[in-house]
Amino acid sequence: MFYDIVVVGGGLAGMRAAIAAHDAGVKVALLSKIHPVRSHSGAAQGGINAALANHPDAKDDTPDRHAYDTIKGSDFLADQDAVEIMTYAAPETIFEFDHWGCPFSRFDDGTIAQRPFGGGGYPRTCYGTDRTGHYLLHCLYQQVVKRNIEVLYERFVIKLAVKAGRCAGVVVMNLHTGEFQTIGANAVIFATGGSGRIYSVNTTNAHASTGLGVSLPYWAGVPLEDMEFIQFHPTGLDGSSILMTEGCRGEGGYLTNNKGERFMKNYVSEKIMELAPRDITSRCIQTEINEGRGFENRFVYLDLRHLGAQKIMERLPGIREICINFRSIDPIKEPIPIHPAMHYTMGGIGCDADGKTPMDGLYAAGECACVSVHGANRLGGNSLLETVVFGARSGRHAAARVKKMTQTVDTDALDSALRQEKDRFQQLCSSNGKENPYTIKNELSQVMMDKFGIFRNETDMKKGLEQIFEFKERFSHIRAIPDIGKFNYDFLWVKEITGNIDAALCIAKGALNRTESRGSHFRRDYSQRLDEQWLKHSLFTYKPEGPEISYKPVALGKYKPEERKY
């Protein structure tokens, strides 16, 4: 099979890239290991940011003010040119979805409703109750079907085919048959989502969100960027870590400790309270728990009861449904037990604002990419925006590139990659090892949570890095996997755990090297932000013995780094 463009990943970024490429007049295929509407984009709840100025308290909002809030929220590590591209594209992006039929909630005057979100100077988060990602995802899938874009369902990408520094396509396992296949392309766009399952003991992320998406280009020679920056969402549901949207606090929800106190007033201004940025709010919640002011040494409360039944049913119906189904509580009557949970990877595949990576023919968009518009900490409502803005840009840029090319099927590169993966599969099937891969997966996630969590220090991280290297060694001696043909999920999961381990090494080594605190990366032994030494992006290049780290400058602009206060 050969296409002008192959898009890997069927979430918001992937589908938006495929639509843009198709509309530019090229032959495109969308590959997804799960059905596109099952993608983790659908779990996003609270909204998508744009300076529409619809809210009565946001009449002065502009894309420039959205950009400033984003850059300040990033602790000044975001590339400012990329941020401005995103914030200026935001309003037209919302209108496009509106015209495509996305059922946004509305104000009484018929305009798209907007709510406050943490770190935003104005209420600019457009929403569809508390199911915004779900609505956007289905809206895009309708557009894919309308255009008759070819979707290759349940194709699991396992390797890039590369020759002389150029990406020539991918090797996939067709889960329906168990066959290994090559798919050639003049351009490949990676849109595989985040890596949250590296922290699987405590994450809001779906099981499909693993480190393999960033590791495949990394293994092929593409540097990863800023992997040490891991966002912990302040409000994961106790017991499952299912996301309790920031929209709960945007609608006026309180965070309270075991004294019944709205404790955020002890950390940020009373004007901000529960709507501080996520990195700050998570540290405040964890501090309350660590110092004995939580419940059962495990959680605090997110209290919505004062909002009233009508408001909760109208604006947060999904949250109520989740609480009833997964915790047997009704937030109309009872407070919600929450704790911080790993939520988002700010780092990813290094690329520019058109999604172009250093590898010829390879693009990246969405959470797997690092443009970088989030820097050291993402603002809520900017992730959905990033997926569709940069998904569209990568699709358009890749299409413009391939339209200048003749069809160039690199059979040698594809066949070589296919042989390597078939050989690797046979090695796994005939292994004499005794290690259980899932034991290693669970141990890895616990180490990541314990040593590279909300609060970090040198002693813990050195020990954690040693343990990850030990997991990598043990994983080379795993027990054999079965050759069962169709839907060989044992092979899929083993491949994903391999990616988790190498991505975890980047997170660990980057965090240990960065001797400062910035955004989500908070070190107790280096508690200050140090711009002179560390106002730079980390780059990770794959080496068999472990990642090699280098650095590049941040793209500054009109907003000079300043102390970050809320």
Side-chain angles (χ1 to χ4, degrees), residues 12-276:
L12 286 177
M15 286 199 285
R16 190 63 190 86
I19 290 166
H22 172 274
D23 290 355
V26 301
K27 184 181 180 184
V28 60
L30 182 68
L31 278 59
S32 187
K33 68 181 179 183
I34 54 178
H35 194 284
V37 297
R38 297 290 301 277
S39 298
H40 191 56
S41 301
Q45 298 166 341
I48 176 170
N49 289 339
L52 302 185
N54 290 345
H55 194 285
D57 296 333
K59 296 307 181 185
D60 296 328
D61 199 12
T62 65
D64 278 329
R65 289 176 174 175
H66 183 185
Y68 172 73
D69 287 343
T70 298
I71 292 160
K72 180 182 177 183
S74 79
D75 223 349
F76 294 92
L77 197 72
D79 289 329
Q80 296 190 20
D81 52 352
V83 171
E84 291 186 335
I85 286 170
M86 180 179 75
T87 61
Y88 272 86
E92 66 189 63
T93 299
I94 299 300
F95 297 144
E96 180 176 59
F97 273 94
D98 191 29
H99 295 162
W100 281 344
C102 184
F104 289 111
S105 296
R106 302 278 170 171
F107 287 133
D108 291 341
D109 64 358
T111 58
I112 293 170
Q114 296 183 279
R115 58 169 49 126
F117 251 46
Y122 295 90
R124 67 168 66 95
T125 305
C126 310
Y127 63 93
T129 65
D130 55 356
R131 298 184 174 106
T132 314
H134 182 77
Y135 293 169
L136 295 173
L137 191 67
H138 280 260
C139 182
L140 277 190
Y141 186 62
Q142 289 172 352
Q143 296 299 316
V144 167
V145 172
K146 175 183 177 181
R147 289 163 172 76
N148 202 28
I149 293 171
E150 188 167 356
V151 181
L152 302 178
Y153 299 96
E154 294 178 316
R155 300 304 201 278
F156 177 50
V157 176
I158 54 177
K159 190 175 181 64
L160 293 181
V162 179
K163 184 178 179 183
R166 176 182 170 271
C167 183
V170 294
V171 179
V172 305
M173 173 181 267
N174 183 337
L175 295 173
H176 292 268
T177 65
E179 294 177 287
F180 291 91
Q181 301 169 339
T182 58
I183 301 176
N186 282 334
V188 173
I189 302 174
F190 257 59
T192 54
S195 304
R197 281 282 149 180
I198 296 172
Y199 288 77
S200 61
V201 293
N202 179 26
T203 180
T204 64
N205 283 203
H207 287 280
S209 300
T210 74
L212 183 63
V214 296
S215 290
L216 289 171
Y218 174 58
W219 293 330
V222 178
L224 301 183
E225 183 174 333
D226 289 345
M227 290 293 288
E228 63 265 41
F229 296 105
I230 301 293
Q231 181 169 92
F232 285 79
H233 197 284
T235 53
L237 182 64
D238 179 59
S240 63
S241 298
I242 296 172
L243 178 65
M244 297 285 101
T245 174
E246 195 160 322
C248 292
R249 288 170 285 131
E251 295 295 349
Y254 298 156
L255 293 171
T256 60
N257 59 22
N258 62 17
K259 297 179 179 180
E261 177 187 28
R262 285 180 68 190
F263 57 83
M264 288 301 296
K265 69 173 187 275
N266 301 324
Y267 300 94
V268 296
S269 71
E270 293 201 22
K271 179 183 176 183
I272 299 295
M273 292 293 282
E274 284 85 2
L275 289 176

